[in-house]
Amino acid sequence: NHYLKLAIRDLLKNKYYTVINVLGLVFGMLSALIIAKYIGGSLDFDSFHEKKDRIYSIAQEESIQGNPQKSSKATYWGVGELINQYPEVVATTRYNYHIESLIIADDDTGNSVSFFENKIFSVDSGFLKIFTFPLRYGNPETALSRPNSIVITNTASERYFGKTNPVGKTLTVRVPWGAETTYEVTGVTEDVPQRSQFRFDFLTTHLPLDPTEFWYVPDCSTFVLLKADANTEDFAAKLTKAVDDVPQLKSTSKKVVLSLESLADVQLSTTAYLLIAVAIFTVIISWVNYINQVVAQSYWRMKEIA
């Protein structure tokens, strides 16, 4: 009790330095903890997938006559066609953004409901077999197996169909230039967790594509689920060799090197590393400021004692 009274008396006697010390240290540590929480959340992305240790995304590096062109996680459409021929592959899917469109449906009362939607993605039938997005309604094994099927999130389902089971009902997707496609709702997923790179409300099946368009532009993300004993380096090498033999790429002198990135290995962005540096710097500055103030005050105590 005596020491507590002395401490309070000393802190009140030196209000200015007390405020600097306490607020400087508290806000410095708090800033670092907030950044640490943010970085920790980034490292936790897509950790809810049950098979995450066997899920890989395909990345590609492209060059022409030895001159690097670009490196990205977007691949050619044809890569998804080549993958399925290898025995170590369990399932594969492409994940491609669909242009913002008007979606139209009839609700329970027979009235037409429509909204502009920008979270529409096209996928292959293996999407729900690879990733863990539980279905409220529908069968994950067959929900995306037929052409013109669409799987929607629970929030999107309530927006168009209320609280009822929408499986079997139809949605019409109208693109900006007027073309319309009618899809049958075959499943309803739980809403996508916040910490996920997949930000969809609607998943549609791919429409058949002309094989001559497989190697035009790398514009889709490709994911693959491998067997537990698969060698990822060997698989990437075999896939790269198969791409080398594609006539469309040979005619343009393009060299494409493919690699696999595990979904379980989260890659931090440059911004995240910068934030880590800022957090460390802030903590050091806070500690140095606190120690300097304490040392300065100790000199006054020494003068009083003398």
Side-chain angles (χ1 to χ4, degrees):
N1 188 42
H2 172 70
Y3 287 129
L4 181 60
K5 288 181 178 179
L6 286 178
I8 293 174
R9 186 182 302 169
D10 185 62
L11 292 175
L12 294 176
K13 181 181 177 181
N14 303 286
K15 296 183 181 68
Y16 175 73
Y17 291 102
T18 299
V19 170
I20 291 178
N21 273 358
V22 174
L23 294 185
L25 188 61
V26 168
F27 283 107
M29 295 299 295
L30 185 61
S31 300
L33 288 173
I34 291 173
I35 293 175
K37 181 69 174 176
Y38 173 80
I39 299 299
S42 299
L43 292 173
D44 198 35
F45 258 54
D46 288 314
S47 62
F48 57 89
H49 296 294
E50 296 175 357
K51 305 170 186 175
K52 64 180 183 297
D53 294 330
R54 296 192 290 127
I55 300 174
Y56 296 86
S57 62
I58 308 295
Q60 72 174 41
E61 295 181 8
E62 192 172 287
S63 61
I64 298 179
Q65 296 180 347
N67 298 314
Q69 298 299 305
K70 57 185 174 181
S71 175
S72 71
K73 291 186 177 181
T75 63
Y76 289 103
W77 190 270
V79 171
E81 301 293 326
L82 291 176
I83 289 176
N84 290 319
Q85 64 182 312
Y86 296 100
E88 53 262 67
V89 175
V90 178
T92 183
T93 185
R94 286 159 290 201
Y95 185 72
N96 193 36
Y97 177 71
H98 188 289
I99 191 170
E100 181 178 12
S101 304
L102 179 68
I103 294 187
I104 309 165
D106 292 330
D107 62 14
D108 293 337
T109 61
N111 296 322
S112 180
V113 180
S114 61
F115 297 96
F116 280 101
E117 304 284 359
N118 59 5
K119 292 183 179 180
I120 311 171
F121 290 84
S122 298
V123 297
D124 291 295
S125 59
F127 185 85
L128 294 177
K129 300 174 185 176
I130 297 174
F131 301 106
T132 306
F133 292 108
L135 293 190
R136 282 197 174 190
Y137 305 108
N139 184 348
E141 295 294 325
T142 59
L144 293 168
S145 61
R146 290 181 286 123
N148 289 54
S149 298
I150 189 169
V151 171
I152 62 181
T153 61
N154 183 59
T155 297
S157 175
E158 292 181 356
R159 189 157 62 241
Y160 288 91
F161 304 106
K163 300 289 186 178
T164 61
N165 180 355
V167 172
K169 298 183 180 180
T170 59
L171 287 171
T172 300
V173 179
R174 180 187 297 167
V175 294
W177 52 89
E180 293 185 354
T181 305
T182 300
Y183 294 91
E184 179 187 351
V185 179
T186 53
V188 177
T189 71
E190 300 289 351
D191 290 339
V192 179
Q194 289 295 321
R195 293 177 180 176
S196 175
Q197 63 179 292
F198 303 99
R199 309 306 304 167
F200 64 85
D201 275 339
F202 303 85
L203 295 175
T204 68
T205 50
H206 291 302
L207 297 176
L209 194 66
D210 189 336
T212 60
E213 300 178 9
F214 284 175
W215 306 98
Y216 276 176
V217 180
D219 61 353
C220 64
S221 300
T222 304
F223 297 89
V224 60
L225 176 66
L226 297 181
K227 294 179 179 178
D229 59 348
N231 186 310
T232 55
E233 292 183 0
D234 288 349
F235 177 69
K238 288 189 289 186
L239 199 55
T240 298
K241 186 177 184 304
V243 172
D244 284 342
D245 296 332
V246 174
Q248 292 93 323
L249 296 181
K250 276 187 174 181
S251 63
T252 58
S253 301
K254 286 183 180 179
K255 173 70 175 178
V256 177
V257 177
L258 301 178
S259 59
L260 273 63
E261 296 181 359
S262 174
L263 194 70
D265 297 335
V266 179
Q267 302 293 325
L268 293 177
S269 64
T270 304
T271 303
Y273 285 113
L274 181 61
L275 284 174
I276 293 173
V278 169
I280 295 173
F281 182 74
T282 301
V283 169
I284 293 174
I285 290 296
S286 300
W287 290 349
V288 170
N289 174 71
Y290 182 82
I291 293 171
N292 282 343
Q293 295 293 342
V294 170
V295 171
Q297 287 179 278
S298 70
Y299 281 120
W300 293 352
R301 295 295 300 274
M302 290 171 62
K303 182 177 180 181
E304 290 177 2
I305 294 171

